[in-house]
Amino acid sequence: MRAVILISGRGSNMEALLRANLPVEFAAVISNRPQAGGLAIARSLGVETIALDHTVYGADRAAFDAALAAEIDRLRADLVCLAGFMRVLTDAFVQRYQGHMLNIHPALLPAFPGLDTHARALAAGVKIHGCTVHFVTPEVDAGPIVVQAAVPVLDDDTPERLAARVLAQEHRIYPMAVRWYAEGRLHLGADGRVRVDAPRLPESALISPNG
Ligand code: GAR
């Protein structure tokens, strides 16, 4: 199984994937921002990096996405992992990889799609927050859900503290999902439903606050 990881920034989820000893050959890490910190991390781990600067394409999203698809196809990737890739993709691009493209989002979707999820979760007063791995579909942050992890929201949380608690869980569930995919245990059905062949957890609940 060959995969590529798309990033825009620091690349901590990318690093979690690269270090997870997955049965995956990571063919390359591609960033739309040449300055992304994650590129140096990927290189230090022996992974090919490609900077595909979206600003060169101006407002022409289709041209950027066509260049991106050309790279992914040249690399013969079976799976595309979006890991902090902060760019909306065209419908044509998404449809080309439908069922073969995963994203990690820092909220319990369908709550808090989009940006600033942690500040918005605090403002909404939710007591449980978390992260989601989902298949990518044309509607942003709305694709079929693969796996989620939940964390408590604490009274003295700041967006930064909450983000750190969620990020630790992102680094757990994204490698899990990619492993399931690589092992042929995760599929997106033609009916749009996710099928995961994973061990069932004993039933338990996260209650927050739990006093
Ligand atoms: C992560 O928290 C990821 O969930 C989020 O950006 C961060 C990237 O951090 N992604 C999105 O918000 C996608 N809409 P990283 O570069 O250290 O993995």
Side-chain angles (χ1 to χ4, degrees):
M1 226 275 306
R2 287 168 65 84
V4 296
I5 305 175
L6 307 191
I7 65 167
S8 299
R10 79 190 151 179
S12 73
N13 277 288
M14 171 211 75
E15 184 172 0
L17 291 174
L18 294 179
R19 289 189 184 277
N21 288 317
L22 299 170
V24 174
E25 188 179 336
F26 286 102
V29 169
I30 305 176
S31 174
N32 65 310
R33 295 201 181 113
Q35 305 312 323
L39 291 175
I41 298 171
R43 276 195 294 274
S44 76
L45 293 172
V47 178
E48 180 186 340
T49 60
I50 298 167
L52 198 61
D53 185 351
H54 70 269
T55 62
V56 168
Y57 297 83
D60 192 347
R61 287 187 177 275
F64 173 79
D65 285 8
L68 187 56
E71 289 292 346
I72 292 168
D73 295 348
R74 179 183 67 78
L75 294 159
R76 291 179 290 108
D78 310 297
L79 175 68
V80 179
C81 302
L82 308 186
F85 187 68
M86 306 306 279
R87 213 183 136 76
V88 173
L89 295 160
T90 56
D91 287 6
F93 182 92
V94 171
Q95 271 148 15
R96 183 183 184 112
Y97 300 105
Q98 195 137 322
H100 307 277
M101 182 154 60
L102 295 171
N103 181 44
I104 179 99
H105 181 76
L108 290 172
L109 291 172
F112 311 118
L115 301 175
D116 299 323
T117 54
H118 309 302
R120 286 160 56 213
L122 289 176
V126 296
K127 299 298 178 196
I128 293 174
H129 184 47
C131 50
T132 303
V133 176
H134 64 95
F135 281 105
V136 179
T137 52
E139 193 184 340
V140 175
D141 297 332
I145 292 170
V146 174
V147 55
Q148 296 183 305
V151 300
V153 178
L154 306 180
D155 283 347
D156 57 354
D157 266 342
T158 59
E160 293 72 27
R161 274 204 284 264
L162 183 53
R165 193 174 310 119
V166 170
L167 191 66
Q169 300 309 314
E170 296 184 39
H171 296 166
R172 292 179 63 199
I173 65 170
Y174 209 0
M176 283 172 67
V178 172
R179 181 179 296 281
W180 293 334
Y181 185 92
E183 292 177 350
R185 297 196 281 141
L186 166 61
H187 300 279
L188 179 60
D191 57 358
R193 295 187 73 87
V194 171
R195 294 195 309 279
V196 185
D197 173 19
R200 265 185 104 119
L201 293 175
E203 277 183 41
S204 65
L206 170 62
I207 297 175
S208 170
N210 67 2

